[in-house]
Amino acid sequence: MSRNRALNLRAARRIVCREKAYGEGEPMKVGLALSGGGVKGAAHIGVLRCFIEHGIPVDLVSGASAGAIAAGLYAAGLDTDSMERFALGLNKRLLDYDLRGLLRACLHRGEPLTGLLKGDRLHRALLAATGGRLLTQARLPLAISATDLDGGDLVLFVSDSTGLRETPGIRCLSEGSIADAVAASAAIPVVFSARTASGMRLVDGGAIENIPVNVLLCMGADIVVAVDLSRTVRARPASGLLEVGQQTLSVISRRLTDLRTICARVVIVPDMTGIGTFAFDEIPLCISKGYEAALKALDSVKKAMVRHAAAPPNARIRPYCSV
């Protein structure tokens, strides 16, 4: 690593993760931060399944875009088998093209079009799967990132904003349902129409916070494990408006990913080579790939937990950031 890069990473750590001492007797909390990735996000189900089977606790969870779907379903109380059934039910019938909006846009009438797909079918599916559960009713601490289309701010939907402090460019919301938050986070720009919340037009959280690590640290996580699907190598060039829209977002957010994951103790990178963004028939393979990657990372996760537990109480630190 070059000297300049090392200095930049150290500077980024100071900005993103300050440190504070915490008291003796507090239980260790493990957070899981899940990135976006379209259909490839089904890999998160495999990661969760592997952790559960091998006794790795998930005390807090966060996600962006496809990662928000997995995080939201898990926080709503679904087990991995139920999450898999939901994922397998996703297909191209959920792609509800906004034909009237396209016509109005061509005729320059009515509200401007913000996406080719309305996203209403996905939202209804999420409402049904989560039972309409509110953010504040999540069964474990949950954070979902979205992007304010007009203001450019990071919007964090959180199950509990206690102790979180908003800063310029970051807003925290606890109102609404888990499905509302997930639908906003999954609204890929140009592909899906923007969702509305608190007077803002919201789109994909992956645009500026593709792996929400920092907010989990703010919410009390001692160790954060990140799952990064943004490093996938495409087997072929993106084709069609839907794939091009997702690929554009991936290229933009990929540069931010290294900075966002500096404070993660372990970063899991499933090998999703050749799997397309909307390849619904590849969902079982994605789940399997996620499980395999998590299995390989188990030793690293366990070692991070052991190191944390072995540190003297007065020497332990909990990284956190101001939100």
Side-chain angles (χ1 to χ4, degrees), residues 13-277:
R13 181 178 175 83
R14 287 196 297 271
I15 294 168
V16 178
C17 289
R18 296 185 293 172
E19 297 174 341
K20 65 177 181 180
Y22 70 103
E24 185 175 0
E26 292 189 16
M28 183 191 310
K29 294 181 180 179
V30 178
L32 185 63
L34 309 175
S35 82
V39 163
K40 296 186 288 291
H44 299 314
I45 300 172
V47 173
L48 281 162
R49 178 172 290 157
C50 180
F51 277 20
I52 292 168
E53 290 180 0
H54 291 84
I56 303 297
V58 176
D59 302 299
L60 309 89
V61 66
S62 67
S65 198
I69 296 177
L73 293 177
Y74 189 67
L78 277 70
D79 58 24
T80 54
D81 289 341
S82 298
M83 292 172 66
E84 181 174 4
R85 285 193 292 272
F86 177 86
L88 292 174
L90 298 176
N91 53 54
K92 293 185 178 180
R93 283 178 293 181
L94 289 176
L95 305 182
D96 48 353
Y97 288 90
D98 190 357
L99 299 179
R100 290 184 179 180
L102 286 168
L103 179 60
R104 288 196 302 268
C106 292
L107 298 175
H108 302 287
R109 296 177 181 175
E111 291 293 323
L113 189 68
T114 58
L116 297 174
L117 306 176
K118 292 181 285 187
D120 293 339
R121 292 179 186 172
L122 176 61
H123 183 241
R124 286 195 294 269
L126 289 166
L127 275 173
T130 59
R133 188 182 293 263
L134 300 178
L135 279 166
T136 53
Q137 296 173 324
R139 70 173 186 85
L140 76 165
L142 168 68
I144 290 172
S145 65
T147 302
D148 178 359
L149 179 62
D150 300 304
D153 290 346
L154 168 64
V155 178
L156 293 169
F157 290 94
V158 292
S159 55
D160 184 359
S161 60
T162 303
L164 298 182
R165 186 171 72 249
E166 291 188 350
T167 60
I170 302 177
R171 295 191 60 182
C172 297
L173 299 177
S174 295
E175 300 85 14
S177 69
I178 292 175
D180 293 341
V182 171
S185 183
I188 303 169
V190 181
V191 177
F192 285 97
S193 298
R195 311 296 296 187
T196 303
S198 296
M200 296 179 289
R201 295 191 300 169
L202 302 177
V203 294
D204 200 311
I208 53 179
E209 190 77 359
N210 193 40
I211 307 183
V213 171
N214 302 336
V215 66
L216 292 182
L217 298 170
C218 295
M219 295 170 73
D222 299 300
I223 294 173
V224 175
V225 178
V227 183
D228 181 8
L229 302 176
S230 69
R231 305 182 195 185
T232 300
V233 177
R234 295 189 64 88
R236 58 177 178 76
S239 61
L241 289 175
L242 301 184
E243 284 197 359
V244 169
Q246 173 63 39
Q247 180 66 6
T248 300
L249 180 62
S250 297
V251 171
I252 294 170
S253 64
R254 191 178 301 151
R255 294 293 182 179
L256 297 173
T257 298
D258 288 342
L259 177 62
R260 295 293 185 259
T261 56
I262 285 174
C263 293
R265 295 292 182 90
V266 178
V267 180
I268 298 174
V269 184
D271 180 10
M272 313 300 285
T273 302
I275 299 176
T277 301

